[in-house]
Amino acid sequence: AALPQGFQILDSSDQLSAVKRVIKAMNLDEERYVPKQVTWFIAAQKEQGHRPKDVEVRDEMGRVQVQVYQAYEDQCQREGVVDFAELMLRTYELMRDNDALREHYQRRFRHILVDEFQDTNSLQYAWLKIFAGPVSGPNPTAEFAVGDDDQSIYAFRGAQVGNMAQFEREFAVERV
């Protein structure tokens, strides 16, 4: 759904407050569905590129968290607000689903540099792949990633150090 022209970006405390409002509106026990943990769940799902309908539910806790995620998305849409992970996910979905826009940016950026690559999450890596375009063909993009897998410290935020090895395989690069 489209954002209003004057949309606002939620910081982490605003996001937590929004999740608390959703949990309260759903009459859920905050001791069982701890708002901070539900907020982390939502962010983790977005960083994996998952909308509520895409989340694999394994148990009752997961089912309720997905319901909170959906209600949170609905509330944010009504209020014209987004969190940072939502900005990333919407941009990825826009590029993925709009051929003309994707091709425009793939032609526009001939060189892509990613620093601190060891701290990228799954969605950020998907971003890189979609901006880079096909690895072969006319006028391929040159990708350059800088990272040190021994310095990956953001796993708690969804960083996937395995993206470094995946980058080497998918882009057939040489290590420097």
Side-chain angles (χ1 to χ4, degrees), residues 60-127:
E60 180 63 14
M61 175 69 81
R63 186 186 67 73
V64 173
Q65 285 179 318
V66 169
Q67 289 176 338
V68 173
Y69 179 11
Q70 183 63 62
Y72 169 77
E73 272 201 342
D74 296 343
Q75 175 178 289
C76 288
Q77 186 65 37
R78 280 191 311 275
E79 295 176 359
V81 297
V82 293
D83 55 47
F84 182 71
E86 181 69 18
L87 284 175
M88 297 284 294
L89 183 53
R90 281 182 185 234
T91 304
Y92 172 76
E93 290 169 341
L94 183 63
M95 295 289 289
R96 179 196 65 201
D97 300 340
N98 186 318
D99 295 339
L101 183 68
R102 180 179 60 254
E103 291 165 8
H104 167 78
Y105 282 104
Q106 288 172 345
R107 283 189 310 272
R108 182 167 181 195
F109 298 113
R110 304 310 315 151
H111 299 86
I112 300 173
L113 167 67
V114 181
D115 195 11
E116 301 295 341
F117 195 79
Q118 75 275 1
D119 295 327
T120 58
N121 62 38
S122 297
L123 185 57
Q124 291 164 334
Y125 186 69
W127 252 53

Side-chain angles (χ1 to χ4, degrees), residues 147-158:
D148 180 351
D149 50 7
D150 289 332
Q151 293 189 21
S152 181
I153 59 171
Y154 292 108
F156 69 94
R157 277 202 210 153

